[in-house]
Amino acid sequence: MPYTLEPSYDDNPRLQELVGRLRTYLTDELLPYEQEHGITAESALDRPTLEHVWKRSAELGFYGISLPPELGGQGLNFTELCALKEELTASGAALSHSVLGDMGGPLRVGAVVKYATAYQLERYLMPVVRGELACCFSITEQDAGSDVRRMRTTATRDGDSYVLDGHKVFSSAAPFADFAIVVARMAGTGTDGGEEEAYSAFLVDLDTPGCRVLEGEVPMSGQRMEGDLVFENCRIPAANLLGEAGQGLRIGIGRITLNRLLHCPSLIGAARRSWDLSVAWSKSRVAFGRPLLALQSVQHKLADMATELYAARSMVQATAARADRGENIAVEANMCKLFTSESCFRVADEAVQLHGKAGLTQGHEVERIFRTLRMFRIVTGTTEIHKNAIAKALV
């Protein structure tokens, strides 16, 4: 398929139809809805606003579309999912994260379904798929980001319960979630002394006594999506252990590896949006008696930006195809996140440069995209962590 900034997907009729319907929904419904209600990427979102998107997306068949049919989805493969995720951020919609269920929805739980018991599926995970509940994933702590094994949140077995104590940070969707998937270190292991460290994952209702949700720090993107979870003698049933005891890091890090790939199309979409804005600006902005686009230096910048997008999208599509074949993509996912986060940031940087003073103005869309893409050189693994992982695996 020839390269175009806005892909046509002629080689995949099902995907072409889905992308066409998604673009129609975004332009005809979601963007006008955001404009009518004054919703921006930095708005503090309430639950009714999000549920409106969840419900309409479910009616259109997009909410949880990548899940298997038995869980209410359409069984999209990773290649197709990446295409939809790129379209969402390329639209510039502030609520794009809620259309497929990235933020607190089905895409948060899809990777852990295989570990769930029948009770956990019925009580927690299927209501998320139906848009009745929202969840967050909580593993990061103040001193345990890239070095996740430094976590201090503990789980102590006490009869038919586990007692959680600790403080989690940067839990995306926590402000409006009903429950959290929490990874904690088993008390008496690792830094507590005693046996070798072990970690487990738990389903925790956020209204459980001893659990508090605090307002999180606002990241440089301006999005108000983060929250802190504080556990103080928080007692949860043993039935809420997700998977087996000691399996928590496998659940958490396995999900993170896939997320590193699935973040990439969203970054590409945002960079593509900044390219579109730059082209429109270069055509309309007149300097020295002619449009900016007439300048060869401006054409070269646009050519470099498009080339970066082509390279990033090609890497992501190739890796998604490997994932669809069931192959191990641990190295490639790190490569994709490394290259995409860096290259898309360069695209956004050039977009700011092309817009001049306008691009430096708070509230301008290219300025916001620039801040957002800068953040993703750290989020879900820093550039340096990805390089470490790649070198370790290959050398």
Side-chain angles (χ1 to χ4, degrees), residues 14-51:
R14 176 172 83 149
L15 181 57
Q16 186 179 46
E17 188 272 336
L18 284 172
V19 168
R21 286 200 297 111
L22 180 60
R23 288 172 179 166
T24 298
Y25 166 59
L26 293 168
T27 56
D28 293 358
E29 294 189 43
L30 187 57
L31 286 167
Y33 174 80
E34 293 177 358
Q35 186 173 12
E36 178 185 352
H37 292 83
I39 298 170
T40 71
E42 300 185 21
S43 297
L45 301 175
D46 57 28
R47 184 67 175 259
T49 296
L50 294 168
E51 288 179 342

Side-chain angles (χ1 to χ4, degrees), residues 61-75:
F62 292 120
Y63 201 65
I65 192 172
S66 62
L67 296 177
E70 60 268 24
L71 293 177
Q74 296 183 34

Side-chain angles (χ1 to χ4, degrees), residues 112 115 120 124-125 135-139 151 153-158 160-165 168 179-187 198-206 208 229 231 234-249 251-252:
V112 302
Y115 299 102
Q120 292 168 350
Y124 292 99
L125 305 188
C135 75
C136 63
F137 195 93
S138 193
I139 188 170
M151 74 171 66
T153 298
T154 60
T156 304
R157 184 65 187 256
D158 184 14
D160 292 332
S161 302
Y162 286 94
V163 179
L164 299 183
D165 290 282
K168 296 291 187 179
F179 70 93
I181 301 171
V182 179
V183 178
R185 183 170 49 80
M186 302 303 292
Y199 305 85
S200 299
F202 304 90
L203 299 167
V204 183
D205 292 292
L206 296 183
T208 303
L229 303 184
F231 305 103
C234 178
R235 184 176 295 272
I236 61 171
N240 284 26
L241 172 68
L242 183 63
E244 299 176 2
Q247 202 175 25
L249 281 190
I251 294 172

Side-chain angles (χ1 to χ4, degrees), residues 26 30-31 34 88-97 273 365 368:
L26 293 168
L30 187 57
L31 286 167
E34 293 177 358
L88 285 166
T89 49
S91 73
L95 297 173
S96 62
H97 49 65
R273 174 68 177 169
E365 192 171 359
R368 181 190 60 77

Side-chain angles (χ1 to χ4, degrees), residues 223-285:
Q223 293 174 300
R224 300 175 183 276
M225 300 282 185
E226 309 289 339
D228 288 9
L229 303 184
V230 178
F231 305 103
E232 296 173 331
N233 196 34
C234 178
R235 184 176 295 272
I236 61 171
N240 284 26
L241 172 68
L242 183 63
E244 299 176 2
Q247 202 175 25
L249 281 190
R250 183 185 307 172
I251 294 172
I253 294 177
R255 174 186 169 278
I256 288 171
T257 297
L258 183 58
N259 267 8
R260 284 174 175 166
L261 170 65
L262 295 180
H263 272 308
C264 293
S266 298
L267 307 186
I268 294 168
R272 183 177 125 196
R273 174 68 177 169
S274 71
W275 192 90
D276 290 339
L277 293 168
S278 297
V279 171
W281 173 261
S282 299
K283 289 179 177 179
S284 63
R285 177 68 168 175

Side-chain angles (χ1 to χ4, degrees), residues 345-362:
F345 176 72
R346 288 192 293 269
V347 171
D349 186 49
E350 290 285 34
V352 171
Q353 195 73 17
L354 285 168
H355 280 79
K357 184 178 182 299
L360 301 176
T361 306
Q362 288 188 359

Side-chain angles (χ1 to χ4, degrees), residues 284-295:
S284 63
R285 177 68 168 175
V286 175
F288 307 107
R290 55 180 179 167
L292 287 179
L293 191 56
L295 300 174

